[in-house]
Amino acid sequence: MDSESKPPITKNDKLHIVMFPWLAFGHMIPFLELSKLIAQKGHRVTFVSTPQNIDRLPKLPPNLSPHITLVKIPLPHVEKLPENAEATIDLPYDKVKYLKMAYDQLEQPIAQLLQETSPDWVIYDFAPYWLGPIAARLGISSAYFSIFIAASLCFLGSAQVLMGMRGNSRTRPEDFTVPPKWVPFESTVAFRLFEINRIFDDITGDDENIPATYRFGAAIDGCDVVAVRSSYEFEPEWLKLLQEIYQKPVIPVGLLPPMPPDHDSVDDTKEWRTIKEWLDKQPKGSVVYVAFGSEAKPSQDELTEIALGLEQTGFPFFWALRKKQGLADTEAVELPDGFEERTKGRGIVCTSWAPQLEILSHDSVGGFFTHSGWSSVVEAIQFEKPLILLSFLADTGLIARVLEEKKMGYAVPRDDRDGSFTSDSVAESVRLVMVEEGGKIYRDKVREARLFVDRDIQDKYVNGLLDYFKTHNQKA
């Protein structure tokens, strides 16, 4: 599988692959990373999204831009969807369903694009549940690419269960707080009650939208093969089980660690220089970096406890804080009175975009206080930063369970019913993971996990995916 031992690619071996992610940056960025790795092998990629999202993507490396075509398809207007909202980052959680409705109206333009470009493969996300049958009708091979880990997918169950075609006894939030009957080994991977309550409406659906579970089920059912952002080094038992559950090929594509930042590049922004100057002054491993992803916004109570907990630690901190979810969000959260004054010089609260990769790669950062989003976890592993976990939405609770099982992260103790926690528990968790003897296991385990993001291993997975694509191409 070593790429260097392979014969050079010929024109006939080259694939044309269309990428169609859901309109969330936690989805678009992994799709783009996979696109870049495919393009590096000499294949052609057409990456499709809406105009604003294409414009907000990271710049493509000059050597890859000839191989990747970025295609903008306008997002249709839908009632109740705020103007200029084209990604989940632009919206409060309760308005994301209108973004899905607008996305569903892209069915016709996407079908037309596939018909006109006639690619070898289309790789799509969970949201366009309608795309598999369209590809099949056009004689195009299709792959559902899951940015969710195999453990989360196994927990959700088969396509038939997800689509409500086979007896799923899970009808109440409480049913999701225990491992399902189809997991044959001992596991703690399940939602806590407060985690499932926050997303239950999306799982069950309402009168306005199609449930996320149905989308997942139909996306899996309609594809030829499932690709997963995971590896056998990270979760072998879950990947094996997933293939049994789905009864179709499951191909891990590796963890897709982003390319390490080039601090001397021309993209060295004024913002990063200011942040770097501050980080350079802090002792090695002393800073706690705090960020909860592009979609999670803590409630006012949660924000207050996080802030007071960070203050209590006495550690320097850099906090990338989202006070609002887009312009339509009318409920901005605020820091406690006097907090910024009391922590001046010791802590920085950044309410604009923060260069997470650059920050995590800095030697002064000794811990990452995160929502457990998979992209953030992969970046933490890449730079060997131990994890303090505070889950919010989607499958972050399930990822947190996996990390806890592996002793790769420590979750802030919370009330199971409402998810509440105290500033004391925040301070104790941060201290434990970053400096205390009892937390040494978390620091050691994340260093050992560095193997999971090894470049040679990543290369092997991409080669495996492309080999499968070449030998199972409907047009071959």
Side-chain angles (χ1 to χ4, degrees):
M1 286 243 184
D2 186 346
S3 61
E4 292 185 16
S5 63
K6 291 186 164 238
I9 196 160
T10 66
K11 186 128 180 123
N12 294 342
D13 282 338
K14 283 189 181 176
L15 296 169
H16 176 207
I17 297 168
V18 169
M19 293 284 211
F20 188 49
W22 162 233
L23 305 178
F25 279 89
H27 291 244
M28 289 183 270
I29 298 300
F31 267 73
L32 188 64
E33 285 300 325
L34 184 57
S35 299
K36 290 194 280 195
L37 293 170
I38 289 169
Q40 269 181 349
K41 308 284 182 188
H43 302 285
R44 194 154 58 93
V45 176
T46 298
F47 188 99
V48 185
S49 194
T50 62
Q52 273 193 57
N53 290 324
I54 293 284
D55 291 342
R56 289 186 283 188
L57 289 173
K59 210 169 150 194
L60 289 171
N63 64 315
L64 297 181
S65 51
H67 299 281
I68 301 175
T69 305
L70 301 173
V71 173
K72 298 176 179 179
I73 297 185
L75 188 69
H77 177 70
V78 164
E79 197 186 343
K80 297 185 187 171
L81 180 67
E83 205 178 335
N84 296 322
E86 292 190 9
T88 55
I89 198 171
D90 304 323
L91 293 161
Y93 178 68
D94 63 349
K95 289 201 163 45
V96 170
K97 59 187 173 187
Y98 305 118
L99 188 66
K100 285 181 180 163
M101 289 178 195
Y103 187 83
D104 285 340
Q105 290 189 25
L106 295 175
E107 181 175 346
Q108 188 50 44
I110 281 289
Q112 193 178 332
L113 179 129
L114 291 177
Q115 192 161 10
E116 288 169 3
T117 58
S118 189
D120 298 292
W121 282 81
V122 59
I123 300 180
Y124 63 88
D125 212 328
F126 82 98
Y129 64 98
W130 31 262
L131 194 49
I134 292 171
R137 201 169 62 241
L138 295 171
I140 297 165
S141 302
S142 67
Y144 159 56
F145 173 36
S146 168
I147 62 124
F148 303 96
I149 61 173
S152 298
L153 296 175
C154 287
F155 181 84
L156 291 173
S158 69
Q160 289 71 30
V161 165
L162 287 161
M163 293 164 80
M165 290 157 58
R166 187 177 293 165
N168 184 1
S169 52
R170 297 187 294 185
T171 53
R172 305 169 307 137
E174 290 78 5
D175 299 331
F176 291 83
T177 62
V178 292
K181 58 183 183 288
W182 51 79
V183 175
F185 45 80
E186 204 173 308
S187 169
T188 60
V189 176
F191 286 109
R192 293 172 69 181
L193 191 56
F194 71 88
E195 291 166 340
I196 190 65
N197 276 335
R198 288 180 180 194
I199 59 169
F200 197 62
D201 61 328
D202 200 21
I203 281 178
T204 54
D206 56 26
D207 56 357
E208 289 190 284
N209 208 346
I210 290 152
T213 43
Y214 184 87
R215 288 180 188 270
F216 270 106
I220 295 155
D221 190 54
C223 72
D224 297 309
V225 60
V226 176
V228 185
R229 186 188 185 183
S230 188
S231 73
Y232 286 112
E233 290 77 15
F234 180 71
E235 48 171 358
E237 72 283 25
W238 291 108
L239 282 164
K240 183 171 175 288
L241 177 61
L242 193 62
Q243 189 137 320
E244 291 168 19
I245 291 172
Y246 286 174
Q247 292 294 295
K248 64 171 60 184
V250 170
I251 303 175
V253 300
L255 271 53
L256 304 178
M259 296 291 178
D262 175 7
H263 296 309
D264 302 318
S265 73
V266 288
D267 291 334
D268 197 11
T269 61
K270 187 182 171 197
E271 289 83 2
W272 166 238
R273 281 199 299 275
T274 307
I275 294 165
K276 185 178 182 300
E277 278 170 23
W278 183 81
L279 289 171
D280 286 344
K281 291 174 188 162
Q282 312 307 319
K284 185 176 178 177
S286 66
V287 176
V288 56
Y289 172 56
V290 187
F292 302 116
S294 59
E295 292 185 48
K297 187 188 86 174
S299 68
Q300 185 59 62
D301 286 347
E302 289 169 340
L303 184 82
T304 300
E305 296 303 325
I306 292 165
L308 297 176
L310 289 172
E311 185 179 350
Q312 217 175 300
T313 64
F315 295 171
F317 62 86
F318 187 98
W319 187 355
L321 173 63
R322 290 180 62 75
K323 289 187 174 185
K324 285 177 75 173
Q325 284 291 94
L327 296 171
D329 189 351
T330 54
E331 297 176 21
V333 288
E334 299 299 337
L335 291 162
D337 284 346
F339 170 77
E340 287 181 277
E341 192 55 45
R342 293 192 303 273
T343 58
K344 198 170 183 178
R346 173 164 74 79
I348 289 182
V349 178
C350 173
T351 54
S352 58
W353 177 80
Q356 178 160 298
L357 209 58
E358 282 84 349
I359 294 167
L360 283 173
S361 70
H362 199 281
D363 282 348
S364 69
V365 174
F368 185 12
F369 190 9
T370 173
H371 65 308
S372 318
W374 189 220
S375 287
S376 290
V377 170
V378 169
E379 289 170 13
I381 293 169
Q382 189 174 1
F383 298 110
E384 301 178 13
K385 307 299 181 188
L387 296 158
I388 305 104
L389 310 172
L390 192 73
S391 60
F392 283 96
L393 294 171
D395 68 331
T396 56
L398 302 179
I399 295 168
R401 297 307 93 74
V402 173
L403 295 170
E404 287 175 280
E405 278 187 1
K406 294 176 180 293
K407 296 282 190 252
M408 284 172 60
Y410 179 81
V412 173
R414 300 167 83 166
D415 184 294
D416 259 352
R417 291 156 304 170
D418 62 12
S420 61
F421 53 91
T422 64
S423 57
D424 286 350
S425 65
V426 168
E428 286 159 13
S429 303
V430 171
R431 283 196 205 104
L432 173 73
V433 171
M434 284 183 63
V435 298
E436 287 177 6
E437 187 56 34
K440 185 175 182 292
I441 181 107
Y442 303 107
R443 301 190 289 276
D444 290 345
K445 287 288 180 187
V446 89
R447 280 189 206 104
E448 289 170 23
R450 183 75 181 76
L451 163 76
F452 301 155
V453 292
D454 177 84
R455 287 281 159 203
D456 289 340
I457 289 175
Q458 179 58 67
D459 199 48
K460 177 191 77 171
Y461 281 113
V462 174
N463 284 336
L465 177 73
L466 292 170
D467 286 346
Y468 185 92
F469 278 5
K470 285 176 201 169
T471 53
H472 294 78
N473 179 5
Q474 284 190 34
K475 297 186 173 176

